[in-house]
Amino acid sequence: MRTENAPVIRLEDYEPSPFLIDRVDLDVRLHPTATRVTAALALRPNPHGRAEAPLVLDGDEVNLKGLSLDGQPLPAEAFVASPKGLTIARPPQQPFTLTIETEINPTANTKLMGLYRSNGNYCTQCEADGFRRITYFLDRPDVLAVYTTRIEADRDEAPVLLGNGNPVEAGIIEGTNRHYAVWHDPHPKPSYLFALVGGKLGKVGKSFTTMSGRNVDLGVYVEPGKEDRADYALDALERSMRWDERVFGREYDLDVFNIVAVSDFNMGAMENKGLNIFNDKYVLASSETATDTDYANIEAIIAHEYFHNWSGNRVTCRDWFQLCLKEGLTVFRDQEFSSDERSRAVHRISEVKVLRSRQFSEDAGPLAHPVRPTQYSEINNFYTATVYEKGAEVIRMLKTIIGDADFRRGMDLYFDRCDGTAATVEDFLGAFAEVTGRDLSHFSRWYAQSGTPRVTVKGDYDPKAQTYTLSFKQETPSTPGQNQKSPMVIPVALGLVAEDGKPIDAACNRVDENGVFIFEKGEDSLTFTNVTSRPVPSLFRGFSAPVKISFDLPDSDLLSLLRHDSDAFNRWQATQSLAMRILVRLSKGETVGQEEFDNLARALRAFVESDGEKDPAFAALVLSLPSESDIAQELASNIDPDAIHTARLTLRQRIGQECAAPLQGLLQSLATSGRYSPDAKSAGRRALRNVALGVIADADKALGEKLAREQFNAATNMTDQLASLSVLATIPGQAREDALAAFETQYKDEPLVLDKWFTLQAMIPESETLERVKMLMGHKAFSLSNPNRVRALVGSFSMLNQSQFNRADGAGYDLLADVVLRVDELNPQLSARLLTAFSAWRMMENTRRARAQNTLLRIRQKPDLSRDASDIVQRTLD
Ligand code: B3K
Ligand code: ZN
């Protein structure tokens, strides 16, 4: 059992570094088990730092082999070194060069932080604190240096050598089998943006001309033989670069931009300057191996990492508390890019689904924290939905409040003023306050206060006075460490819709020309005049604020919104709200009248008939019910996941019965022939057909099985093949097992496709799944050391299979605990991520709650549990 608690780092304790590093000259001699790194650091005391301070360099599992100061070896009594750090008690008080030689073992590095090997290739991951696993350093984001990197390796082992910045020199070392390359990055950067790659890689590339006419060589490097799967990523990169020029006026700033795909990676990708390193799942795509969703994710993540070049790299973060400054902003930018490239309404709905399922649940549980946290013990646990997704919503609200033109002016000022610096949220908001003349201090509460505000609305129509009044009240629940909450600035985009769909020409001077009312007090109300008939309010159009809304609109009003609202988001929301009303009551064991089922099912049928072909992607979303975890969140306590599962199935069956005929029609009319294209329009048609297939199968298993088998056998792309397989997976029997076996054989040499096969089986909502998952952990393609494999099988089981992970006998919790304890010894970031599946434990009914708590206590007992995992377990139990 751990005896000492990890130190807590607090925002209020921030101090500038006592030393700065202007230049870093690195010489890295790659070797599988004994890589030598020589780092020459040009240091100087920081004029804004504490004077006469010792020089304390961070380290993590590095072995010191040599140390000299201004060319002179440092005597042993002048420093203290351990694998965890290097301290020089009395460093010079003027500029000096410290040359450090270290040895590291990339093959033994299973944490996938620092320099490690993936399928034999060398690569790095330094954010947040991996550079200290390469050499001793001031490994903090506010120390910006210009890097020159010489990489040397065996020519056979690593024919390709890549670094940050521009290539300046390369050659072979005479008389040896070794070669080298030198890279220079002229842009000062923090150590977390350092990267190098050495290995056997194939390349696709093209030349890009920037808006000012400079040529940039773009390259995407992948495992040799997979080059044809990198074309889409390269195309997405080019489109991202053009978009950032057009929409934000941001131009690329080096001669090359490289992306490298690796198979072992802890997250999606990393924005290292000029050398992005990606999880290969987010680069490789072909119609036979990737789904439409994969293509959309690749496009979004390529864009996200590219956009970091300005929001993150040119302007970086002063400290890790400011993480949202780069992440929330960059998510917002990638969301806008995808909306422009695809359908804005459809994309917005997808963003909100992710926000609600991941962020709202985080904000309602033990791991809740503000968008800008004020303390952490392990920063890698703060790359969360709150920092990323809620962080993006905060930027979106700012834009809604100040308008498009001022938003762009503020962004320009922020980039220009903070270029080359490590900035704070205050610097960011300061730019917008300056261009608008507004006081944004009240708005800044969004960065400080955790929890999802709940806005309760009431509407009152006075036919005599022809007025309509909306009253608003807001409350934010208490969250860990925060009991007292203050009102937030909430932009409410709204409109009034007549029951018969005719526009309403009402007036209210507190609603701006874009239809936005700023709700910033605890309670407020609005009165519209000249309202000649009872209106139906459409509130929070486009989901204008990340809040929960309580508004008891009659079902008939929600149906009017589905039919008539000009806002696509609220049309979708209307069906979700109607479905949720039914699902909540069914889950609680309450009876729901036939009429209610019928009303929703018939409305959906009418919608499918009128809109299905018009906008298939949108229709696919309207037909998808809230997920089991969405329902659990709505119930919030005493949760029985089996009851939720049954409730959802019951409603799906009723909808399937009602809509079967038009949906079968759509299966025919939306069928596409010819070559697969991943564009949004074609993907939308496939999405609706595949949702239709699922709904048909819910109501009629035999028919569903027949149609799914036909589709499975005829499919010429992964989207259709996987969709039919997932329908088959929900129907126990030989057809399912045969299809699963056929898929396994077909893709036995495709790890990323087998991941889909793992996931699909882990999600089967039946009690045999537990044994199936255990068996699959023994599959030859499965490995506990590969994060994609672990997430595909065990992550999906615990996060996406609510009824089986939360089994009443606790066996699902035990399975996850056993995996976590083994993974923790290899890769703490991965074990910590898996552990977040427990964060809903307190909402469960008593039996499950007790079992989950015992399991968490068992995990906590483990000697040497990593800091990453203990941090999550501790906060989850607190
Ligand atoms: N900045 C990286 C995430 C790093 C995670 C470190 N544990 C990827 C991204 O958000 O773009
Ligand atoms: Zn990012």
Side-chain angles (χ1 to χ4, degrees), residues 561-876:
L561 290 178
L562 168 65
R563 276 194 294 271
H564 303 304
D565 201 344
S566 57
D567 182 66
F569 180 87
N570 273 356
R571 294 184 71 199
W572 170 80
Q573 182 61 57
T575 55
Q576 297 294 300
S577 303
L578 281 167
M580 190 61 98
R581 285 179 185 176
I582 296 175
L583 291 166
V584 161
R585 282 166 41 218
L586 281 180
S587 302
K588 287 186 186 160
E590 296 169 13
T591 42
V592 175
Q594 192 58 37
E595 205 188 317
E596 266 176 82
F597 277 113
D598 288 350
N599 282 346
L600 176 58
R602 286 183 191 140
L604 286 174
R605 180 186 178 125
F607 167 80
V608 168
E609 286 168 348
S610 63
D611 288 49
E613 296 215 25
K614 248 191 277 168
D615 190 349
F618 176 66
L621 290 168
V622 170
L623 278 176
S624 307
L625 294 181
S627 70
E628 291 177 19
S629 51
D630 292 341
I631 303 166
Q633 238 192 91
E634 190 69 20
L635 291 166
S637 63
N638 199 24
I639 285 164
D640 174 355
D642 292 331
I644 292 178
H645 178 73
T646 309
R648 194 165 178 276
L649 200 62
T650 307
L651 182 56
R652 282 178 63 125
Q653 281 166 345
R654 177 67 192 95
I655 293 169
Q657 285 157 3
E658 183 69 35
C659 300
L663 289 177
Q664 283 182 54
L666 287 176
L667 283 186
Q668 305 296 326
S669 64
L670 294 174
T672 41
S673 54
R675 262 189 84 220
Y676 170 90
S677 160
D679 69 90
K681 192 156 171 263
S682 315
R685 295 169 75 92
R686 281 186 289 273
L688 182 54
R689 288 185 86 242
N690 288 325
V691 166
L693 182 64
V695 177
I696 292 168
D698 286 332
D700 183 341
K701 280 202 185 333
L703 177 62
E705 188 174 283
K706 176 176 163 291
L707 294 172
R709 270 167 71 175
E710 283 168 12
Q711 178 167 323
F712 184 76
N713 292 329
T716 55
N717 62 71
M718 180 50 69
T719 306
D720 289 340
Q721 192 179 9
L722 192 69
S724 53
L725 186 61
S726 53
V727 170
L728 288 173
T730 60
I731 309 171
Q734 200 51 44
R736 160 169 99 187
E737 302 310 322
D738 290 348
L740 285 169
F743 192 90
E744 179 192 12
T745 309
Q746 189 178 354
Y747 297 107
K748 64 179 184 332
D749 300 320
E750 298 285 354
L752 293 174
V753 183
L754 286 180
D755 282 348
K756 302 178 192 305
W757 181 78
F758 285 137
T759 296
L760 202 138
Q761 296 178 79
M763 285 172 63
I764 298 176
E766 61 192 32
S767 58
E768 291 74 18
T769 296
L770 185 92
E771 284 311 315
R772 197 187 276 269
V773 170
K774 285 186 181 164
M775 186 192 68
L776 289 171
M777 283 179 63
H779 193 278
K780 60 181 180 308
F782 184 79
S783 160
L784 279 183
S785 62
N786 180 288
N788 284 354
R789 298 305 90 79
V790 175
R791 284 189 289 250
L793 185 59
V794 185
S796 304
F797 173 73
S798 37
M799 316 253 184
L800 304 175
N801 194 341
Q802 290 298 301
S803 65
Q804 299 315 305
F805 171 60
N806 297 294
R807 282 163 60 120
D809 64 3
Y813 302 143
D814 282 338
L815 171 68
L816 181 62
D818 293 343
V819 174
V820 160
L821 293 177
R822 288 165 67 193
V823 167
D824 197 51
E825 297 185 356
L826 300 165
N827 185 341
Q829 276 185 38
L830 182 58
S831 58
R833 223 7 106 111
L834 290 171
L835 276 168
T836 60
F838 280 108
S839 57
W841 73 277
R842 259 183 226 281
M843 298 196 309
M844 294 291 147
E845 51 74 32
N846 290 343
T847 310
R848 289 172 171 88
R849 190 166 60 222
R851 293 203 194 281
Q853 186 177 28
N854 283 338
T855 312
L856 283 162
L857 292 169
R858 168 160 81 88
I859 299 170
R860 196 172 65 174
Q861 293 294 319
K862 180 180 185 258
D864 304 322
L865 192 65
S866 69
R867 182 164 69 190
D868 308 58
S870 7
D871 172 42
I872 300 285
V873 174
Q874 198 52 54
R875 284 192 284 140
T876 304

Side-chain angles (χ1 to χ4, degrees), residues 127 267 269-271 304-305 308 326-327 380 383 388:
E127 187 176 3
M267 57 263 171
M270 177 65 212
E271 71 264 23
H304 179 97
E305 305 311 330
H308 267 314
K326 74 180 181 79
E327 296 305 348
N380 287 307
Y383 289 75
Y388 277 64

